[in-house]
Amino acid sequence: MAAWVWLAALLYGGQAAVLPPPWADIRRNPCAAHPRGWLMLYWPSDGKCYTIYTKGHPCPDTQELSPGKWGGRTIAECKCPPGTAQLPHTTTCHKLFEKGPCRTGEYFAPVEESFNKRGERQGMCVRPQQCADETLLYWPADGRCYYRLSQGPCYSGDVLDIGDDGLANCTCATDGPNHWPTDGGCYAHYTRGPCEKGKLFLPGPKCGCETHLPHYNNATGGCYELDTVGPCPKGHIFSISEVTPLGSHAECRCKSFHARAADGACYRLYTRGPCGQDEMISRGGRCTKVPCARGRLYVPERRRCYRPGTAEPCPLGEVVAFDFEARPALDGLSHNGVCACGNGPCAKKDIESCISHRGKAVYGGACHILHTQGPCPDGAWLVREASGNVKCQCRPGLLPPDCKDITVISINS
């Protein structure tokens, strides 16, 4: 939903009233006088009006017509659609987090700074980060590592594996060990997959349950996927609890940051749980009175209440914030206060990650992507010399005075 439509729905309580976009004003957009002109933009080169957010003419084939600003006027611009980006000095848009225009083993990554500063969605070719070992694959879209041949970030019916492009792909090979001919999908072994409750998708492939598996539950006589609810009651997770030379065993345990109450269920700490009005469940499963006034959060490490946004109990650069891991719809309102990143030194982890990434560099306490404008003046971009120096350099095809002279801005960053 477009931003102005969403805003209108919010202001009018979800009714049908819709606020017009800025380019519906005839003073800003000559096309606004035409029938349905609020959906069109004026293209000066031929003096015609074109529908917004359509690909192709008058834009390049892969770009779409979008509204932009020039002073106080609304103008037509050609931009890459969401989910795509272009290489600098090109007009072809490629899907992000895929091979695109890159070499085998590289993926096309977004350059956020370029979109923020110049209105373009630019991308660059980078190599995936290394995971802990070869059993894991890096998924660029969320920056996480997942086990090979697991479902990972894929939709049900696909598994994660290395593709012909040298990158992690969601795929389903009909001749592979994870294929289930009945529905044509692929599933990770030892998960429920296409099987009925109490059975697992086993090598073969087949649906079954074997008593020697750690997934076996004596109480129900069934097998369940590890680290899921499985056969457990609310607030529990079915996970490995015992490892012996004879094998492993899973059982129902309270989820992390949960406590078992008198009713046998587990509830997230510092939510109401099974407790009375103005009470919360604390460690040990006890119901205690909420110690904080309205608008304050409880910080367990200090056993005190603080207003959100205050810095006092937190490390430098962090502030008190709501516990965003709590799910109000399932857990209820959380009174737990956590220290979250505000600014400044809190970004230390990001800086450390930046230093280890060969496509990035640190300047002024912030991380920048090489071969983008970053902190450089107009006409220049950020490069790293063979010596390790990071500097601003004129972009290819530009020379002073069209861009400023080369300036070293960081040494061995």
Side-chain angles (χ1 to χ4, degrees):
M1 182 182 291
W4 73 88
V5 177
W6 176 86
L7 179 60
L10 182 65
L11 293 175
Y12 291 93
Q15 298 176 7
V18 175
L19 295 178
W23 56 90
D25 187 344
I26 193 172
R27 294 170 297 179
R28 298 185 178 185
N29 179 15
C31 299
H34 293 221
R36 296 180 63 81
W38 67 280
L39 292 173
M40 308 180 84
L41 290 172
Y42 179 73
W43 190 254
S45 298
D46 60 11
K48 295 182 179 180
C49 295
Y50 295 90
T51 304
I52 59 172
Y53 302 129
T54 53
K55 284 186 181 180
H57 186 76
C59 295
D61 291 343
T62 58
Q63 293 192 343
E64 65 182 15
L65 193 68
S66 302
K69 289 185 178 181
W70 182 266
R73 297 187 301 114
T74 298
I75 62 171
E77 294 181 335
C78 294
K79 295 181 181 178
C80 287
T84 67
Q86 64 198 73
L87 286 168
H89 312 299
T90 69
T91 59
T92 302
C93 302
H94 307 274
K95 286 187 177 181
L96 293 169
F97 308 117
E98 296 184 2
K99 181 175 180 288
C102 308
R103 294 175 295 183
T104 299
E106 294 182 337
Y107 69 91
F108 197 52
V111 179
E112 299 296 343
E113 292 176 356
S114 67
F115 177 75
N116 292 337
K117 291 186 177 182
R118 295 183 290 280
E120 296 178 349
R121 294 186 174 96
Q122 288 191 0
M124 63 183 293
C125 294
V126 299
R127 295 195 68 83
Q129 294 183 22
Q130 293 294 316
C131 297
D133 58 61
E134 60 185 13
T135 65
L136 296 164
L137 297 178
Y138 180 74
W139 186 251
D142 62 10
R144 296 176 58 186
C145 292
Y146 297 91
Y147 282 104
R148 188 173 185 175
L149 297 181
S150 71
Q151 182 177 333
C154 307
Y155 289 111
S156 179
D158 281 343
V159 292
L160 195 67
D161 203 359
I162 289 287
D164 295 336
D165 55 7
L167 301 173
N169 281 260
C170 292
T171 184
C172 182
T174 56
D175 58 348
N178 298 82
H179 183 248
W180 182 244
T182 304
D183 65 4
C186 290
Y187 305 92
H189 293 148
Y190 304 104
T191 65
R192 181 173 174 180
C195 308
E196 63 185 39
K197 187 174 181 179
K199 293 185 178 181
L200 298 176
F201 184 64
L202 302 176
K206 61 181 180 181
C207 289
C209 177
E210 300 172 3
T211 57
H212 68 275
L213 294 173
H215 309 70
Y216 180 74
N217 178 254
N218 290 322
T220 62
C223 292
Y224 304 89
E225 188 174 342
L226 297 176
D227 299 321
T228 67
V229 174
C232 310
K234 177 181 177 180
H236 289 72
I237 191 168
F238 190 61
S239 62
I240 297 292
S241 60
E242 182 182 18
V243 179
T244 69
L246 299 178
S248 303
H249 174 69
E251 65 179 22
C252 295
R253 311 173 73 178
C254 277
K255 292 181 181 178
S256 175
F257 207 71
H258 283 61
R260 182 175 287 106
D263 62 0
C266 296
Y267 300 89
R268 189 169 183 84
L269 291 172
Y270 313 119
T271 62
R272 181 174 176 179
C275 305
Q277 187 73 24
D278 297 327
E279 290 186 332
M280 65 181 188
I281 192 164
S282 60
R283 297 191 181 278
R286 299 183 300 274
C287 291
T288 60
K289 183 175 177 60
V290 175
C292 305
R294 188 178 183 87
R296 305 265 177 159
L297 294 172
Y298 180 65
V299 179
E301 293 77 9
R302 293 295 186 91
R303 297 184 180 179
R304 290 182 57 189
C305 300
Y306 296 89
R307 190 181 302 278
T310 57
E312 180 190 341
C314 300
L316 184 64
E318 298 184 12
V319 296
V320 176
F322 292 93
D323 183 359
F324 291 107
E325 291 188 7
R327 300 165 299 171
L330 298 176
D331 303 319
L333 179 66
S334 174
H335 301 280
N336 185 46
V338 298
C339 289
C341 195
N343 50 42
C346 185
K348 181 179 179 181
K349 291 183 179 179
D350 293 335
I351 297 299
E352 291 175 350
S353 173
C354 184
I355 293 173
S356 64
H357 196 296
R358 69 178 186 177
K360 298 180 180 180
V362 177
Y363 171 67
C367 186
H368 301 276
I369 298 177
L370 294 173
H371 301 106
T372 66
Q373 181 175 348
C376 302
D378 290 342
W381 62 3
L382 201 64
V383 298
R384 189 194 301 276
E385 295 183 307
S387 63
N389 294 348
V390 177
K391 65 182 184 181
C392 291
Q393 177 176 294
C394 290
R395 286 177 177 267
L398 294 178
L399 295 171
D402 293 328
C403 71
K404 292 187 177 181
D405 291 337
I406 296 171
T407 304
V408 176
I409 62 172
S410 182
I411 306 296
N412 297 324
S413 73

